[in-house]
Amino acid sequence: MNNFKKQRVKPVQLVPGQKIPLTIKRLGINGEGIGYFKHKIVFVPGALPDEVVVAKVTKVLPKYATAEVHHIRKVSPDRVTPRDLYDVGGIELEHLSYQQQLVFKSDLVKQALEKFRPHGFQHYQILPTIGMTDPYAYRDKAQFQIREQNGKVIAGLYRRGTHEVVDLPTFSTQRPLTMKVIRQVCQLIEQLHIPVYNEKQNSGIIKTLVVRESFSTQQVQLTIITNSAKLIHQAALIRAIQQNLPEVVSILQNINPGRQSLVWGQQTKLLAGQEKISEQLGTKKYNLSARAFFQLNPEQTFKLYQKVSTALALQENDELLDAYCGVGTIGIFLAEQVASVRGMDTVPAAIADAKENATINGCQNVSYVCGSAETVLPTWLKAGFHPTAAVVDPPRTGLEQQLLSALLQARPPKLVYVSCNPSTLARDLLKLAKYYQVNYLLPIDMFPQTPRVEVVVKLTLK
């Protein structure tokens, strides 16, 4: 009888350029398809669940690999023809039917809860995602990089994973007026021979164009972000913009020298027209400075604030805390339903805008303070302010831990958490769920064709 030594089978080693068969199991948090090859997780942008693809490996790391679709052997019934064929962000899900995008966004919330496992998460009610009737042409702000390509001035976004700017003559999620302004200003820059930025050489002047359209008035604010304080042919450029684009009522320059990762520099100056433009949600009006944060989808923002109002179930004697108040949008929207609103933010310009917006809307029961919540809120509590309701709308990083501690010290009976990141929301619920009942989570699709989702969470003190 022959004895054979068992030989250990070496795991298959993936290498870049290798073509592999994959069955796509689900979508990841960035909208990419996820499959497994010999037990190794592989992320494939552009692939959809239940598709069988041949994927070309692009990168191999110890815990995972990335790949691109080489061809599709079995096509998902949910695959649709995208309107845009650019390799840039902001349209990661355009090849997925819109109904399935909404299903995916509810599932994102579920995935985040299962990962962080806040108390009682298995019983949380996740409501169906609120979508749009027409999930295109909704973005009222464009922030496009400006470069020169083959002697032409182009405007667009970075190719994914690179600093190469992709020219975007069209972009279906942008409102048409924002695209019209971007394209025509590029033509004017080219005609006037104004040097545009060259990142490799750190030379040239115009780096970025930021265009914001008012959904309610169709007026436009244009900010030209430059590499230097000097803007060659400034007078001629302003004159040409005013002649060709009467919709542009506000022209500003922001100075951001050097190879900065941040788009905006510290200094912004008015070149022509008015300093701010006005937007309206329902009956409330808001003046917006160039750097003011305002949701990019006014139609869905109105629905979002209505859902916040419903979740808070405010009464006329309520004292409302508006943390991360920004330019005062949520607090002012709700002000007439309560006895008072107090808000805070760490950005001085935002607080200045919030105070102005309160005045514009005749909100005499609203007050705003510049400072961090962990400093401001305890001071208010000591002075006798006891919020009966609170709304928090933090950035993608979620609640600052000091704010969370201050909030749990105040413990308003009614709390609504507006999140733009299910992962940090689920993390924050680990602490909040110890003291609050999570009544429901309501996803709202603020950014169709992308994997991003906004969530309104209703919480009541136990």
Side-chain angles (χ1 to χ4, degrees):
M1 185 174 180
N2 293 328
N3 291 322
F4 296 97
K5 288 183 180 180
K6 288 186 178 179
Q7 293 184 342
R8 187 175 294 172
V9 179
K10 290 183 179 180
V12 174
Q13 295 294 318
L14 289 175
V15 294
Q18 182 179 350
K19 292 172 188 167
I20 57 172
L22 283 177
T23 298
I24 305 301
K25 300 296 185 182
R26 59 189 175 89
L27 291 179
I29 60 172
N30 297 311
E32 70 278 70
I34 293 178
Y36 296 86
F37 185 75
K38 307 293 186 183
H39 305 293
K40 193 179 190 80
I41 190 168
V42 184
F43 296 98
V44 191
L48 295 176
D50 300 323
E51 289 190 331
V52 179
V53 305
V54 173
K56 185 178 178 181
V57 177
T58 53
K59 187 185 293 184
V60 181
L61 294 164
K63 292 188 177 180
Y64 68 92
T66 61
E68 59 189 25
V69 175
H70 184 264
H71 65 270
I72 303 174
R73 288 178 174 171
K74 178 189 171 188
V75 179
S76 166
D78 298 315
R79 179 175 286 278
V80 296
T81 302
R83 296 187 185 184
D84 302 291
L85 298 173
Y86 309 113
D87 184 20
V88 297
I91 47 172
E92 295 89 344
L93 292 181
E94 211 181 353
H95 58 296
L96 177 63
S97 71
Y98 188 56
Q99 193 56 45
Q100 285 305 118
Q101 288 185 36
L102 300 180
V103 172
F104 162 68
K105 294 186 183 195
S106 293
D107 188 57
L108 268 184
V109 179
K110 184 180 177 184
Q111 284 183 47
L113 294 172
E114 289 173 346
K115 178 181 177 182
F116 286 91
R117 305 174 69 83
H119 178 72
F121 76 96
Q122 306 95 324
H123 307 295
Y124 292 177
Q125 183 182 15
I126 303 173
L127 300 173
T129 303
I130 294 177
M132 298 186 72
T133 305
D134 179 11
Y136 290 97
Y138 63 83
R139 291 182 68 102
D140 65 358
K141 185 179 179 182
Q143 189 169 282
F144 283 8
Q145 307 303 316
I146 305 301
R147 298 292 185 269
E148 187 176 296
Q149 190 179 83
N150 301 323
K152 291 282 184 184
V153 173
I154 65 165
L157 301 172
Y158 291 123
R159 190 180 304 279
R160 276 186 279 196
T162 75
H163 262 227
E164 176 194 346
V165 174
V166 176
D167 190 26
L168 299 178
T170 60
F171 206 58
S172 64
T173 57
Q174 286 290 154
R175 287 185 58 77
L177 181 53
T178 64
M179 293 301 294
K180 173 189 169 184
V181 171
I182 289 269
R183 303 309 298 185
Q184 290 200 21
V185 172
C186 279
Q187 290 175 12
L188 297 174
I189 292 168
E190 188 177 309
Q191 289 167 12
L192 292 168
H193 303 290
I194 302 172
V196 300
Y197 188 59
N198 183 309
E199 189 173 11
K200 288 182 180 177
Q201 298 175 8
N202 191 27
S203 63
I205 295 177
I206 298 180
K207 290 173 128 179
T208 310
L209 294 181
V210 182
V211 173
R212 194 202 306 256
E213 174 193 349
S214 167
F215 193 79
S216 58
T217 67
Q218 282 74 57
Q219 292 183 331
V220 172
Q221 182 181 65
L222 167 67
T223 306
I224 303 165
I225 299 180
T226 61
N227 188 39
S228 66
K230 186 176 182 181
L231 177 54
I232 295 172
H233 305 313
Q234 175 182 309
L237 179 61
I238 291 170
R239 192 162 53 247
I241 291 169
Q242 291 174 332
Q243 288 173 353
N244 291 278
L245 294 163
E247 307 96 326
V248 179
V249 298
S250 173
I251 306 174
L252 303 107
Q253 179 187 4
N254 176 267
I255 301 155
N256 187 20
R259 296 184 181 93
Q260 305 285 345
S261 57
L262 298 174
V263 171
W264 292 84
Q266 292 299 313
Q267 184 185 355
T268 304
K269 59 182 182 180
L270 180 66
L271 299 183
Q274 57 203 51
E275 193 170 343
K276 303 177 182 183
I277 59 170
S278 176
E279 185 57 278
Q280 187 164 334
L281 292 175
T283 60
K284 305 299 181 183
K285 293 181 180 179
Y286 304 92
N287 279 356
L288 305 176
S289 56
R291 297 191 65 178
F293 171 77
F294 199 81
Q295 293 281 8
L296 303 179
N297 185 337
E299 182 183 330
Q300 291 294 85
T301 301
F302 184 62
K303 294 179 190 175
L304 171 71
Y305 290 178
Q306 286 180 316
K307 296 302 180 183
V308 169
S309 176
T310 300
L312 282 169
L314 295 166
Q315 297 177 339
E316 60 184 17
N317 61 344
D318 272 323
E319 308 279 348
L320 177 65
L321 171 66
D322 180 11
Y324 300 97
C325 67
V327 299
T329 46
I330 294 180
I332 290 168
F333 190 87
L334 301 172
E336 62 190 19
Q337 302 176 39
V338 296
S340 72
V341 177
R342 293 200 191 191
M344 80 282 285
D345 201 291
T346 56
V347 181
I351 291 297
D353 283 348
K355 289 178 177 179
E356 181 181 336
N357 287 327
T359 301
I360 290 169
N361 289 283
C363 298
Q364 297 184 9
N365 62 338
V366 173
S367 62
Y368 292 110
V369 171
C370 187
S372 59
E374 64 269 22
T375 304
V376 174
L377 188 50
T379 304
W380 284 349
L381 295 175
K382 283 181 183 177
F385 172 63
H386 297 291
T388 57
V391 56
V392 292
D393 184 8
R396 290 187 63 78
T397 49
L399 293 176
E400 296 168 2
Q401 292 310 299
Q402 296 95 328
L403 186 147
L404 188 50
S405 299
L407 194 63
L408 291 175
Q409 181 189 347
R411 292 191 201 175
K414 297 181 284 191
L415 172 63
V416 165
Y417 188 139
V418 181
S419 169
C420 58
N421 185 342
S423 292
T424 52
L425 165 65
R427 179 204 67 197
D428 291 342
L429 286 175
L430 284 170
K431 288 188 177 179
L432 288 170
K434 292 177 183 177
Y435 304 94
Y436 283 88
Q437 176 72 34
V438 179
N439 300 99
Y440 60 76
L441 300 95
L442 173 61
I444 298 178
D445 190 17
M446 298 290 287
F447 300 101
Q449 320 308 330
T450 81
R452 292 176 61 185
V453 64
E454 207 90 1
V455 189
V456 174
V457 188
K458 177 181 171 69
L459 304 107
T460 47
L461 196 63
K462 289 179 180 177

